[in-house]
Amino acid sequence: MESLIHIVLLCFLLLTVFAIVRMHDLFAIVMLLSIYGFLCASFFMVMDAVDVAFTEAAVGIGISTLLLLSALTLTGRFEKKQRHKPLLAVFSVAITASLLIYGTLQMPPFGSAYAPAHQHIATHYITQSLGETGIINIVTSVLASYRGYDTLGELIVIFTAGMGVLVLLRGATSPAKDSEGKSKRVTSKQPVPMKQHAILRIVSKMLIPLILLFALYVQFHADFGPGGGFQAGVIFASVIILYVMIFGLRATQKTISLAWLEFLSALGVLIFGSVGLLSLLFGENFLDYNMLSSDPVQAQHLGIFVVEIGVGITVAATIILIFMTFTGRMADRGGQQ
């Protein structure tokens, strides 16, 4: 186990050195980040943290890479050269890294049962969560019940970040001009991506229903295995992104519009928060699910089910909204849909 961890850390170090050497090539940096995400997901799998590996694989390798590549279409591949050398920044980073490494020297041995993290609340989660929540997957019970406040905060952060990106991209949009100085609209005469690739279009039509079915499985199977609203939302968003890449933005907007995505993005947060407000109305603590049923375990199960649906809706809608806004911005600049 330790030798494998050393190999992963060595790969991280090599990626970091290569990133420093190629730091002006933004495409290379994005690819390195994707490889870094793959190594992280593999590392989490080795550590039996399947839920975290699932999330890292979906976000760190898939969605993040697509969004960053979409951003590069607007900014260009290479970073502008600086006239001065950021020696102060390099020095600050070196000092911070040295202090962090020094801090790890005082940590307990890896995997030690006597580590402080294993002596307090973690023991309660492992031994009592099944009886208190009725959820086999401890990660789901912790995130949706014991740490419901934190999960709601994370969901609000995702929603806020999505709205912020939306405002920035829409506010900075400057449609292309024709020879007379008038705004040039994107028309349906523009070529559709992948139109000449019949195999990709046929295969994607075959895969999209299966991926959607898998997303639903991940959403509703989180009680018994790895998954949950966040992972399911990312998988569902990847389906729509695939559809945009193969069939174009105009065809996608005939199925789901940006207005509906904005509504769904807020709806998920509203569903999650409404469960907490409902708890307050019944005299319970915020996000205390006991008011949902006379049986405490059944109440926990039902509450986790509802809030996970809210998480899935917001995550999926926000990611799709960001990608479609990027694609629309490219169309405004005269790119293909």
Side-chain angles (χ1 to χ4, degrees):
M1 174 69 72
E2 292 185 359
S3 61
L4 181 59
I5 294 174
H6 292 158
I7 293 175
V8 174
L9 292 177
L10 179 61
C11 292
F12 288 166
L13 179 61
L14 293 176
L15 286 175
T16 303
V17 173
F18 187 79
I20 294 175
V21 175
R22 302 283 295 178
M23 63 184 304
H24 294 293
D25 190 344
L26 300 181
F27 178 78
I29 297 296
V30 173
M31 292 297 100
L32 286 173
L33 286 175
S34 181
I35 298 173
Y36 183 84
F38 175 77
L39 291 175
C40 286
S42 303
F43 180 75
F44 291 140
M45 283 295 297
V46 172
M47 301 297 296
D48 290 332
V50 184
D51 286 85
V52 185
F54 205 160
T55 305
E56 180 61 34
V59 179
I61 303 174
I63 298 299
S64 296
T65 303
L66 285 174
L67 293 179
L68 289 173
L69 290 177
S70 300
L72 288 184
T73 60
L74 302 177
T75 61
R77 174 171 177 173
F78 296 96
E79 181 184 7
K80 292 183 180 179
K81 295 183 178 180
Q82 299 291 336
R83 295 183 178 180
H84 65 283
K85 296 182 179 179
L87 298 179
L88 180 60
V90 174
F91 179 76
S92 301
V93 170
I95 294 296
T96 303
S98 301
L99 292 175
L100 291 174
I101 294 174
Y102 175 76
T104 60
L105 299 179
Q106 303 298 323
M107 296 179 65
F110 177 78
S112 173
Y114 300 99
H118 300 156
Q119 300 300 316
H120 300 287
I121 194 65
T123 304
H124 179 84
Y125 291 156
I126 295 173
T127 59
Q128 304 296 328
S129 64
L130 180 59
E132 293 177 347
T133 65
I135 304 299
I136 298 177
N137 187 358
I138 299 177
V139 177
T140 300
S141 65
V142 171
L143 294 179
S145 181
Y146 294 112
R147 291 181 56 242
Y149 279 56
D150 295 341
T151 305
L152 176 59
E154 293 169 1
L155 190 64
I156 293 175
V157 168
I158 293 173
F159 170 74
T160 305
M163 295 303 103
V165 171
L166 187 65
V167 170
L168 289 174
L169 289 178
R170 288 186 176 178
T173 300
S174 54
K177 305 289 185 178
D178 56 18
S179 58
E180 299 179 357
K182 297 181 179 180
S183 297
K184 184 167 55 178
R185 298 291 182 181
V186 179
T187 65
S188 58
K189 296 181 180 179
Q190 290 185 334
V192 177
M194 307 294 180
K195 187 175 182 179
Q196 69 277 19
H197 298 284
I199 295 178
L200 289 178
R201 295 170 68 88
I202 294 174
V203 172
S204 63
K205 288 182 178 180
M206 297 171 58
L207 289 178
I208 284 175
L210 298 178
I211 300 175
L212 288 175
L213 183 62
F214 180 64
L216 294 176
Y217 173 83
V218 172
Q219 173 73 52
F220 298 112
H221 196 259
D223 298 356
F224 310 100
F230 192 90
Q231 294 90 334
V234 173
I235 296 173
F236 188 91
S238 67
V239 174
I240 306 302
I241 291 175
L242 174 64
Y243 193 89
V244 174
M245 295 174 63
I246 299 296
F247 299 98
L249 179 62
R250 183 175 296 277
T252 307
Q253 288 180 334
K254 292 179 180 179
T255 304
I256 182 169
S257 64
L258 293 180
W260 268 106
L261 289 173
E262 294 173 4
F263 170 76
L264 292 174
S265 183
L267 178 63
V269 179
L270 181 62
I271 291 174
F272 201 130
S274 296
V275 177
L277 294 177
L278 189 62
S279 302
L280 294 178
L281 292 177
F282 280 84
E284 302 288 346
N285 295 324
F286 187 73
L287 289 177
D288 188 343
Y289 308 136
N290 290 332
M291 48 58 189
L292 296 176
S293 176
S294 57
D295 183 5
V297 174
Q298 183 66 26
Q300 289 287 326
H301 196 282
L302 182 58
I304 292 174
F305 175 80
V306 174
V307 299
E308 286 286 357
I309 290 178
V311 172
I313 292 174
T314 292
V315 170
T318 302
I319 294 176
I320 297 170
L321 189 61
I322 292 175
F323 184 82
M324 290 180 66
T325 305
F326 267 118
T327 307
R329 177 77 184 278
M330 293 165 56
D332 288 339
R333 287 194 171 189
Q336 297 180 357
Q337 289 195 74

